[in-house]
């Protein structure tokens, strides 16, 4: 395990960290790393956590809108653009899933500004979901639209191989139980100017395979797992902030390409003693196979018991970052 003995400024470090084990460390030219082998009772009581079980999509098969008349002559999957105002009571209990039913693959679902949608989205085709944004000259700014997950359900769950992009939206899942807020498998997920507030027993963002892009976004997680879990996933996190009580980013590298965390912040809980739950800013798992590299540039990783946790076989390159 690599643990920082005090706050470190790692500037201009272009070399690659090759971790031969969780307890092995390489020497940094500009920073002193504590690589001493010693018992860590907090780790014994709280070993590295892992998920898994995702939402079973079969439970959502055969969905049909309760108010199809609101979409006029649209046939299923025939609309390229649909706008939903969740503050309109005529939309029924599931306005988002109703709109998705009629949206064409690759279509865009627009959400009215200032509205809150009490619904959980189940996406089985590539879509773009966009919140109505403020004008830069607006005097009375309205909040971005909110998707508030139903109790015990995810905010957005994408089917296998689906590409989904979310922009200018707030996602809230405060009673998620054993579901994440954003879940995807073998697909591509992009979050741009998205805020996530999550409380549950899983990861706020839980992605396996494919790609995960997070830009200009905020992810706040109170959970029993990592805030962002990316397994065999190519990850790009830029100009974003991740806050968590346990683990910020838990990543198993993708064989399809490198990953990067650029100009971002991963902030953990302050304080704690030796018997408290372990907290890691970034966990990089390697496994028994070759894996893609993780680049960390211009990033702050702070308030964790362990800033950077490296598994056997993992590769990390750090530049101009602070742990």
């Amino acid at each position: 395990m690599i643990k920082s003995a005090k706050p470190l400024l790692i500037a201009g470090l272009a070399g690659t960290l090759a971790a031969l084990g969780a307890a092995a460390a390489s020497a940094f030219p500009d920073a002193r790393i504590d690589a001493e082998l010693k018992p860590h009772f907090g780790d014994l009581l709280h070993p590295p956590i892992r998920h898994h079980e995702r939402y079973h999509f079969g439970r959502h098969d055969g969905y049909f809108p309760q108010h199809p008349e609101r979409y006029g002559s649209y046939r299923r999957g025939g609309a390229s653009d649909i706008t939903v105002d969740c503050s309109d009571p005529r939309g029924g209990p599931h306005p988002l899933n109703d709109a998705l039913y009629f949206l064409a693959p690759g279509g865009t679902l627009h959400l009215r500004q200032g509205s809150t949608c009490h619904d959980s989205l189940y996406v089985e085709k590539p879509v773009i979901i966009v919140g109505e944004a403020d004008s830069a000259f607006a005097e009375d700014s309205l909040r971005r639209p909110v998707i508030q997950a139903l109790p015990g359900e995810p905010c957005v769950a994408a089917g296998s191989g689906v590409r989904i992009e979310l922009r200018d939206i707030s996602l809230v899942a405060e009673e998620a139980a054993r579901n994440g807020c954003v879940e995807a498998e073998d697909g591509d997920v992009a979050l741009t100017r998205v805020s996530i507030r999550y409380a549950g027993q899983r990861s706020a963002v839980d992605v396996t395979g494919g790609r995960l892009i997070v830009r200009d976004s905020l992810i706040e997680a109170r959970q029993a797992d990592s805030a962002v879990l990316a397994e065999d996933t190519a990850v790009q996190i830029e100009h974003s902030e991740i806050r968590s009580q346990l683990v910020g980013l838990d990543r198993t590298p993708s064989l399809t390409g490198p990953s990067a965390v650029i100009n971002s912040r991963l902030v953990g809980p302050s304080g704690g003693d030796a018997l408290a739950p372990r907290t890691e800013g970034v966990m990089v798992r390697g496994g028994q196979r070759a894996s893609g590299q993780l680049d960390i540039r211009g990033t702050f990783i702070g308030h964790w018991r362990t800033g950077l946790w490296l598994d056997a076989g993992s590769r990390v390159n750090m530049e101009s970052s602070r742990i």
Side-chain angles (χ1 to χ4, degrees):
M1 177 181 297
I2 296 181
K3 301 180 66 176
S4 57
K6 58 183 180 179
L8 304 176
L9 180 63
I10 304 174
L13 178 60
T16 297
L17 302 179
L20 299 178
S26 297
F28 286 83
D30 299 324
R32 184 164 56 88
I33 301 295
D34 179 8
E36 180 184 355
L37 296 175
K38 56 186 177 181
H40 192 292
F41 296 105
D43 291 355
L44 297 177
L45 293 174
H46 303 276
I49 41 103
R50 218 44 174 150
H51 64 325
H52 242 287
E53 62 184 51
R54 281 196 179 79
Y55 182 86
H56 179 53
F57 252 77
R59 287 162 48 192
H60 203 67
D61 290 346
Y63 180 83
F64 187 79
Q66 295 188 28
H67 297 279
E69 68 280 358
R70 289 182 54 79
Y71 296 90
S73 59
Y74 284 138
R75 58 180 175 81
R76 180 176 183 178
S80 60
D81 291 89
I82 294 179
T83 298
V84 173
D85 184 354
C86 289
S87 63
D88 186 347
R90 296 175 300 172
H94 303 292
L96 298 182
N97 285 294
D98 288 358
L100 282 177
Y101 180 89
F102 291 100
L103 196 66
T108 302
L109 176 61
H110 299 271
L111 305 184
R112 287 291 186 195
Q113 189 179 41
S115 63
T116 297
C117 303
H118 297 274
D119 206 352
S120 294
L121 271 170
Y122 299 94
V123 185
E124 299 179 273
K125 54 192 169 187
V127 296
I128 301 171
I129 303 175
V130 181
E132 189 177 48
D134 266 332
S135 165
F137 301 99
E139 295 183 2
D140 297 323
S141 178
L142 294 174
R143 63 172 173 79
R144 67 178 65 182
V146 177
I147 298 177
Q148 184 163 347
L150 302 174
E153 303 286 351
C155 304
V156 180
S160 179
V162 169
R163 172 177 290 183
I164 181 171
E165 182 174 353
L166 293 93
R167 303 182 207 147
D168 300 301
I169 296 173
S170 293
L171 303 176
V172 179
E174 296 184 316
E175 301 178 63
R178 297 185 61 83
N179 292 284
C181 183
V182 177
E183 300 182 358
E185 186 169 359
D186 296 327
D188 296 336
V189 176
L191 307 175
T192 303
R193 296 181 300 277
V194 171
S195 67
I196 296 177
R197 190 168 73 247
Y198 174 83
Q201 301 173 32
R202 291 278 301 282
S203 298
V205 178
D206 186 342
V207 179
T208 296
R211 291 186 299 167
L212 172 63
I213 299 172
V214 181
R215 293 187 180 129
D216 302 305
S217 296
L218 171 64
I219 300 173
E220 298 181 276
R222 303 189 309 277
Q223 76 299 323
D225 209 321
S226 52
V228 177
L229 179 61
E231 186 173 6
D232 194 20
T233 303
V235 178
Q236 295 291 325
I237 299 176
E238 302 176 13
H239 303 283
S240 297
E241 182 165 332
I242 297 173
R243 302 174 187 169
S244 175
Q245 293 182 331
L246 195 60
V247 178
L249 170 64
D250 185 347
R251 172 186 176 266
T252 300
S254 170
L255 298 178
T256 60
S259 296
V261 180
I262 302 171
N263 296 330
S264 296
R265 289 170 53 86
L266 290 91
V267 183
S270 300
D273 56 37
L275 296 179
R278 58 186 298 151
T279 64
E280 284 91 8
V282 177
M283 299 183 70
V284 183
R285 303 180 188 264
Q288 302 301 316
R289 52 182 171 76
S291 57
Q293 177 172 290
L294 173 64
D295 293 323
I296 301 176
R297 301 197 299 270
T299 293
F300 171 78
I301 305 173
H303 305 296
W304 309 93
R305 288 179 56 90
T306 303
L308 180 61
W309 187 97
L310 301 180
D311 198 0
S314 58
R315 295 189 298 154
V316 175
N317 179 64
M318 296 192 70
E319 297 179 15
S320 304
S321 296
R322 180 183 177 189
I323 298 180

